[in-house]
Amino acid sequence: MLDLEALKKELNPQQYAAVTTTEGPILIIAGAGSGKTRVITFRIAHMLDKGIPQSQILALTFTNKAAREMEERVKDLTQKKLQNLTVSTFHAFGVKILRQEISALGWRENFTIYDETDKIALIKESGRELKFSPEALDCYKIAILFSDIKTGRKDWKVETDMYRELYEYYQEGLKLYNAVDFDDLIVLPIKIFREFPEILQKYRDRYKYLMVDEFQDTSHQQYEMMHLLADRNVAVVGDDDQSIYSWRGADFENIVNFEKDFEGVKEIRLEQNYRSTETILEAANGVISHNTNRKDKKLWSQKTVGNKPIEIFMPQNETDEADFIAESIQGICAEEKIKYDDFGVLIRSNSQSRPIEEAFLQANIPYTMSGGTSFFERKEIKDIVSYLRVIANHDDDINLLRILNTPRRGIGRAALEVLNARASAEKKSLWETIKSFEKEGGFADENGSQGQDAGGDFSLSRDEPQSKGAPSAALPPKTLAALAEFTSLIEKNSNMLGGKELSKKVKALVEEINYWDFLILENPKSEKAARFKYLNIDSLINSIAQWETNPDNFGKTSLYDYLNRITLLSRDDMDDEGDKGKVNLMTIHASKGLEFPVVFIAGAEEGLIPHARAIEEDEKNVEEERRLFYVAITRARDKLYISSCAKRKKMTATVECQPSRFLDEIPARLVEYHEPQLAVSDEKALDILANMRRQLGLTESQK
């Protein structure tokens, strides 16, 4: 039980009000470093103390890491297992709903969640079937357009209307393959709630108390999901000054919408910062006060010990900047005994990382760079995971196509054309089509050649379905045998679905398909490269073993559980134990929610922050760029360094740079500027060297 009197002493008055106000709509404006997570976890513990059943509480946030931290803190506070408490990301909660209710929309319950790679593969496949030219099929841009259309961020226009049929075909493909994309994890639950009021009522009856963390980052769809579910008892926690994700649909004006949609909202402001020194907070306040569209607030701190000025350096170029950062880190480590992982080096764009990484390597400074290739995006990992996805869902055509001839089985392109043509004509999945060929014997001619029978056609189009009973294009016996071997392998490994010893079964599968031999064939000039890739697969198997023995899973260790887990993991959520003891080099976006004793903000220049592209799109975007700079400043606890280069390489040219306008918004009394050191003449250098020798007492012979 929480002692309320003790709680009053432990929390400031505003935090206490946020924790103990449990009824009605509440808007908690939580400034950077104001103890937001602490408030949320104490609030959940207080609600449980009041007798509110854990099953009636739903807490939503944005990253798996934040959800885990929140859940663990509540368990520590209450000393209870809390198996019926729902602390989740929006997308994971969407999965939970769809696992129960998606059949209402015509999908089967064991659907697959497509990641971006799978999504682009389906767009590419759909485009080929609709005879799009390669020039018109920029799959990356089309994927963004489809996401914008699906989530309502954009409508069809004259210039995009050519992709409308492709979008419909892509949507049909998802349903055919019993798959959903990431946007569907929010869009489809909303569709279910709208079309089936009895289903919505079931969830409203269950979740009587809602909480939403990082509310300023909610999209219109996430807000609508929350709004549909919420009755009266809903608390949202956010900070409009930290809204930096408009490019992915976030809208900080949802805070305004909340006040309109819920009558009698109680607003509580958390402005006391427990992270940073007063100097850093005054700098942050000075910058963000220039934004006009915001709730007025002013962070303050009682932390005055070590109140050092913000140091701004003006190096000549990005190489000097990188050397300054590396040398400063080494010097601070030596003088103040600070560990490498206490440093955060923040950049606006990934393009800034190369010189900094080179300087770290040169200085033997260990570092971790966020935003690199995800472990689960590596080809060898995707290959093995694709096997697991097909074992879990035979109708997942994207992953089936990936592994049908990986490792090679002699199933060539001509055979795939035959399979795709028949699957398209009969509106079946590839798996069902393969099984049909096996059952029928393939219609191969007596010589076993892969020709086409009368009426057969390798290029059946979507608009020319094969008539019922017409002979199909042929598959030779060798291909049929390879297909039968493949389907047998998949069916044999269906024992993975049982939920026990998954890691051992995956290891056996890797050995059964001879993936090591395949890697050797793929990397004929480098066995070392093949071995590195195989070690990655070992790491995958070890991670599965660790996951399935984690008691917090409560026995939910089926293959479906595992696949959902790795699909929902984002790059920012990857917990790498090996990153401890390393300098943190990351984009400002990736740094949100983190804090470091010492922070370097690199490249505080016009064109980088604020970013030129953002300002070109709309001058109003300067307010979001300013919020981004504010987030960067407030990552620092004790000491902040900012660098702004005089020149910087862009592509093959070197351009003159201007300091960021945001530097002038930091109150001058808080700042100490350092001009770049000018190169000394040879004569001056010799004088300095002679003086050093005299001080060391060296004789002429020793010189």
Side-chain angles (χ1 to χ4, degrees), residues 41 65-80 82 85 87 550 552:
T41 52
K65 184 176 180 181
R68 282 196 304 272
E69 181 186 358
M70 207 180 293
E71 189 171 5
E72 285 164 8
R73 285 208 201 179
V74 176
K75 286 177 179 177
D76 286 344
L77 270 176
T78 60
Q79 294 297 301
K80 295 176 182 175
L82 302 178
L85 176 69
V87 181
N550 187 334
D552 287 343

Side-chain angles (χ1 to χ4, degrees), residues 650-675:
K650 291 188 178 175
M651 307 297 284
T652 55
T654 299
V655 298
E656 300 281 338
C657 301
Q658 294 297 319
S660 169
R661 69 189 76 177
F662 301 147
L663 295 180
D664 288 336
E665 296 174 357
I666 300 173
R669 60 188 169 76
L670 306 175
V671 171
E672 188 177 303
Y673 273 88
H674 299 266
E675 295 298 326

Side-chain angles (χ1 to χ4, degrees), residues 376-639:
F376 288 98
E377 290 301 311
R378 294 173 185 170
K379 182 186 181 302
E380 61 275 15
I381 301 302
K382 282 192 75 74
D383 284 346
I384 302 307
V385 170
S386 289
Y387 271 96
L388 303 184
R389 293 193 187 282
V390 173
I391 290 166
N393 176 10
H394 297 345
D395 296 323
D396 183 346
D397 280 14
I398 298 295
N399 283 294
L400 188 144
L401 283 168
R402 183 184 187 92
I403 61 173
L404 194 56
N405 206 37
T406 304
R408 297 189 187 100
R409 298 183 173 87
I411 302 169
R413 181 174 293 183
L416 289 178
E417 287 175 356
V418 173
L419 291 170
N420 273 321
R422 182 162 174 181
S424 178
E426 297 182 358
K427 297 193 181 302
K428 288 182 177 179
S429 69
L430 282 173
W431 177 272
E432 291 172 316
T433 304
I434 292 169
K435 297 301 284 185
S436 295
F437 269 109
E438 287 179 24
K439 187 177 179 182
E440 298 161 5
F443 298 105
D445 64 34
E446 60 184 10
N447 296 318
S449 63
Q450 191 173 337
Q452 54 184 32
D453 293 330
D457 187 353
F458 281 128
S459 57
L460 288 170
S461 75
R462 184 189 182 204
D463 300 320
E464 298 171 352
Q466 188 178 1
S467 60
K468 190 175 181 181
S472 168
L475 288 176
K478 281 185 180 178
T479 303
L480 283 171
L483 289 169
E485 183 183 340
F486 172 77
T487 56
S488 175
L489 170 75
I490 298 300
E491 288 168 340
K492 173 186 169 185
N493 279 280
S494 63
N495 63 349
M496 288 188 189
L497 304 178
K500 289 183 179 179
E501 297 188 325
L502 181 60
S503 57
K504 290 182 180 178
K505 292 169 184 173
V506 174
K507 184 177 178 66
L509 171 68
V510 172
E511 292 171 356
E512 186 175 2
I513 63 176
N514 295 317
Y515 198 82
W516 167 249
D517 292 345
F518 169 70
L519 287 175
I520 291 292
L521 288 171
E522 290 288 292
N523 300 274
K525 295 181 180 178
S526 176
E527 184 176 327
K528 185 178 179 181
R531 189 167 298 282
F532 176 78
K533 292 174 185 292
Y534 202 74
L535 285 172
N536 283 335
I537 294 172
D538 277 343
S539 295
L540 173 72
I541 293 166
N542 289 335
S543 73
I544 295 172
Q546 289 175 352
W547 167 77
E548 62 187 340
T549 56
N550 187 334
D552 287 343
N553 290 328
F554 301 113
K556 294 181 179 178
T557 55
S558 73
L559 180 57
Y560 296 129
D561 293 318
Y562 179 71
L563 291 175
N564 283 335
R565 172 181 177 269
I566 63 173
T567 301
L568 291 167
L569 281 175
S570 72
R571 198 157 37 196
D572 294 341
D573 291 328
M574 298 294 180
D575 289 327
D576 185 354
E577 291 300 317
D579 288 347
K580 289 181 178 176
K582 298 180 182 180
V583 171
N584 301 278
L585 173 60
M586 59 181 61
T587 63
I588 302 172
H589 281 100
S591 75
K592 189 166 178 293
L594 303 177
E595 60 181 78
F596 307 98
V598 183
V599 165
F600 291 83
I601 302 174
E605 301 143 25
E606 288 292 310
L608 272 178
I609 185 159
H611 202 281
R613 190 171 60 244
I615 303 304
E616 284 165 14
E617 288 174 0
D618 190 341
E619 185 64 35
K620 292 178 182 175
N621 287 339
V622 72
E623 294 222 345
E624 178 150 342
E625 291 292 302
R626 186 177 282 111
R627 291 195 292 269
L628 195 57
F629 194 62
Y630 171 84
V631 165
I633 291 173
T634 54
R635 297 314 94 196
R637 278 168 34 193
D638 304 319
K639 183 65 181 167

Side-chain angles (χ1 to χ4, degrees), residues 55-325:
S55 60
Q56 290 186 3
I57 298 171
L58 170 62
L60 296 171
T61 187
F62 280 83
T63 67
N64 295 294
K65 184 176 180 181
R68 282 196 304 272
E69 181 186 358
M70 207 180 293
E71 189 171 5
E72 285 164 8
R73 285 208 201 179
V74 176
K75 286 177 179 177
D76 286 344
L77 270 176
T78 60
Q79 294 297 301
K80 295 176 182 175
K81 290 186 177 180
L82 302 178
Q83 295 183 30
N84 294 318
L85 176 69
T86 306
V87 181
S88 170
T89 65
F90 273 94
H91 287 93
F93 183 65
V95 172
K96 185 174 182 176
I97 294 169
L98 294 180
R99 286 285 169 221
Q100 298 294 321
E101 316 296 348
I102 200 168
S103 58
L105 298 176
W107 274 261
R108 295 186 297 283
E109 288 179 3
N110 65 331
F111 60 85
T112 297
I113 304 168
Y114 277 6
D115 62 13
E116 283 303 303
T117 305
D118 298 329
K119 178 179 178 177
I120 285 172
L122 179 55
I123 290 171
K124 195 177 292 183
E125 177 198 310
S126 302
R128 281 197 301 263
E129 292 189 23
L130 292 176
K131 305 295 190 290
F132 272 76
S133 67
E135 296 77 27
L137 209 60
D138 185 333
C139 292
Y140 178 74
K141 286 186 178 178
I142 292 170
I144 294 172
L145 171 67
F146 284 6
S147 179
D148 287 342
I149 294 292
K150 183 176 287 192
T151 57
R153 292 196 292 271
K154 287 185 180 175
D155 296 316
W156 292 109
K157 294 182 179 177
V158 174
E159 60 269 25
T160 59
D161 208 54
M162 64 181 289
Y163 297 111
R164 191 190 289 260
E165 185 184 11
L166 178 61
Y167 176 76
E168 296 300 331
Y169 203 44
Y170 165 76
Q171 289 292 96
E172 289 172 16
L174 284 174
K175 200 162 187 179
L176 174 66
Y177 304 149
N178 199 40
V180 298
D181 62 26
F182 235 57
D183 292 320
D184 287 327
L185 301 183
I186 306 297
V187 170
L188 291 184
I190 291 172
K191 182 178 174 67
I192 290 169
F193 288 162
R194 282 177 177 165
E195 295 181 7
F196 303 93
E198 68 281 6
I199 294 177
L200 172 59
Q201 193 58 49
K202 180 173 73 174
Y203 285 91
R204 291 190 74 171
D205 289 343
R206 174 170 179 183
Y207 297 112
K208 297 287 190 181
Y209 294 83
L210 266 66
M211 265 183 287
V212 180
D213 186 20
E214 301 288 4
F215 187 62
Q216 77 282 345
D217 292 337
T218 51
S219 66
H220 290 294
Q221 283 68 37
Q222 288 162 336
Y223 179 84
E224 185 171 1
M225 179 193 273
M226 180 277 294
H227 191 201
L228 284 166
L229 281 169
D231 184 13
R232 283 285 297 161
N233 302 322
V234 53
V236 298
V237 186
D239 179 9
D240 51 346
D241 287 339
Q242 295 187 73
S243 180
I244 58 174
Y245 292 114
S246 65
W247 48 274
R248 68 181 189 194
D251 187 353
F252 69 92
E253 292 197 358
N254 280 341
I255 291 175
V256 177
N257 296 333
F258 181 77
E259 291 176 303
K260 288 178 183 174
D261 292 338
F262 291 88
E263 194 176 332
V265 171
K266 179 175 181 179
E267 183 179 306
I268 300 170
R269 298 191 183 196
L270 309 181
E271 296 175 299
Q272 184 175 353
N273 177 285
Y274 293 88
R275 175 190 299 158
S276 306
T277 64
E278 190 65 36
T279 296
I280 290 168
L281 294 182
E282 281 193 55
N285 288 330
V287 170
I288 203 64
S289 65
H290 287 77
N291 273 5
T292 55
N293 194 8
R294 63 185 288 263
K295 279 188 173 286
D296 187 42
K297 71 186 78 67
K298 187 175 182 181
L299 296 181
W300 61 277
S301 173
Q302 291 179 333
K303 186 177 177 181
T304 55
V305 178
N307 217 352
K308 301 171 185 174
I310 293 165
E311 297 190 47
I312 299 180
F313 287 78
M314 316 290 280
Q316 285 291 337
N317 54 41
E318 67 271 20
T319 304
D320 289 348
E321 176 183 56
D323 289 341
F324 150 68
I325 293 171

Side-chain angles (χ1 to χ4, degrees), residues 24-40:
I26 306 160
L27 172 60
I28 302 169
I29 302 295
S34 61
K36 166 177 68 73
T37 305
R38 193 160 177 252
V39 164
I40 293 171

